[in-house]
Amino acid sequence: MPEQISERARLTGDCARCFGLCCVALPFAASAAFAVSKPAGKPCHHLGGDHRCGIHSELRQRGFAGCTVYDCLGAGQKVSQVTFGGRDWRSGSGQDARRMFDAFPVVRQLHELLWYLTEALNLDAARPVHAGVRGALHRTEELSLGTPEELAALDVAAHRQEVDVLLLRTSELARAGVRGRKKDRRGADLMGARLRGADLRGASLRGAFLIAADLTGADLRDADLIGADLRDADLGDADLTGAFFLTQPQLDAARGNAGTRLPASVARPAHWTAAAL
């Protein structure tokens, strides 16, 4: 367990060791999540010379809620400090900056896989596949440490497919011990669905669209939430105890309250508490 806790801590964004890559490399589209549009590779006009956000404490109020629900899962500091050895994109050549911006989303995808694989090792029921999971975790870590050229040439989709075979088997094993019929809602369109108090214990919600769904008081214990879109979903008083493959960005994009029960792998979003005051 200490090893997995340490791994999770490493898979969390550390802005103090990053050169503001998410504020530069990624594009913004003017919407409810972003007050303005910004192309990939162009710094956000709120990014300071110290690579810090000038409106960090007011992001939601200023129309940048999308920034508050984003987590690079540690990819930013790895690209900044490891892949490019601490070289600031502002001080290097334009070509170096582009290579850094191209590497960032690749490493972000690999770190997401590392998060899932670490989670799989924390599920006792999935012990039959732990050896394969460890091998995939080590291979994914090796890929994330590649040179800028190796990262640019990497077929992330193909690697993700290989890892997904293990994650799917992990899910089957982890949910097998849940009593009763386990619902299969993989990829389901449940946008705005009325699921208040729904029994979704042990359900597969892999890639399900749960945008603005009412999950108030729903039983989501031991559910597989990998890739589920929880934007603006109401998780008030819902029970997510034991739910797995849930990332912090997914949870940050949802709504909840003090009565929402969460797995130990994620933290209660600060804006949930603020909304309840």
Side-chain angles (χ1 to χ4, degrees), residues 153-166:
L154 179 63
D155 188 342
V156 182
H159 181 65
R160 181 180 288 273
Q161 287 181 342
E162 294 176 9
V163 171
D164 197 51
V165 173
L166 285 167

Side-chain angles (χ1 to χ4, degrees), residues 28-210:
F28 301 164
S31 62
F34 296 103
V36 297
S37 294
K38 181 193 81 63
K42 179 180 179 180
C44 172
H45 64 274
H46 291 298
L47 183 67
D50 59 354
H51 301 297
R52 299 293 179 269
C53 175
I55 60 167
H56 187 267
S57 62
E58 304 175 312
L59 283 168
R60 286 184 175 273
Q61 298 92 313
R62 301 281 289 271
F64 288 86
C67 296
T68 69
V69 302
Y70 180 81
D71 189 332
C72 72
L73 300 178
Q77 64 259 30
K78 177 174 282 186
V79 172
S80 297
Q81 303 300 329
V82 180
T83 313
F84 285 85
R87 297 194 305 275
D88 185 340
W89 56 268
R90 279 187 167 128
S91 59
S93 67
Q95 182 179 8
D96 278 345
R98 285 192 297 273
R99 290 163 69 225
M100 182 177 284
F101 302 155
D102 289 343
F104 173 63
V106 174
V107 177
R108 169 59 173 76
Q109 291 182 70
L110 293 172
H111 272 222
E112 183 178 359
L113 293 178
L114 288 174
W115 177 277
Y116 296 145
L117 290 165
T118 301
E119 178 90 354
L121 289 177
N122 203 30
L123 297 170
D124 288 339
R127 285 187 180 278
V129 295
H130 277 184
V133 169
R134 287 192 184 91
L137 190 149
H138 292 151
R139 172 60 177 155
T140 304
E141 177 64 24
E142 288 176 355
L143 291 173
S144 75
L145 292 169
T147 64
E149 293 74 21
E150 289 169 338
L151 290 168
L154 179 63
D155 188 342
V156 182
H159 181 65
R160 181 180 288 273
Q161 287 181 342
E162 294 176 9
V163 171
D164 197 51
V165 173
L166 285 167
L167 298 180
L168 184 58
R169 181 58 181 149
T170 295
S171 175
E172 292 169 347
L173 291 167
R175 296 182 296 110
V178 179
R179 292 183 179 180
R181 180 172 175 268
K182 294 169 280 295
K183 297 179 174 63
D184 186 351
R185 294 290 187 268
R186 285 181 291 179
D189 183 352
L190 298 170
M191 290 192 291
R194 297 177 181 176
L195 296 168
R196 179 182 291 261
D199 180 6
L200 294 168
R201 186 173 185 185
S204 175
L205 290 163
R206 296 169 65 88
F209 295 93
L210 288 158

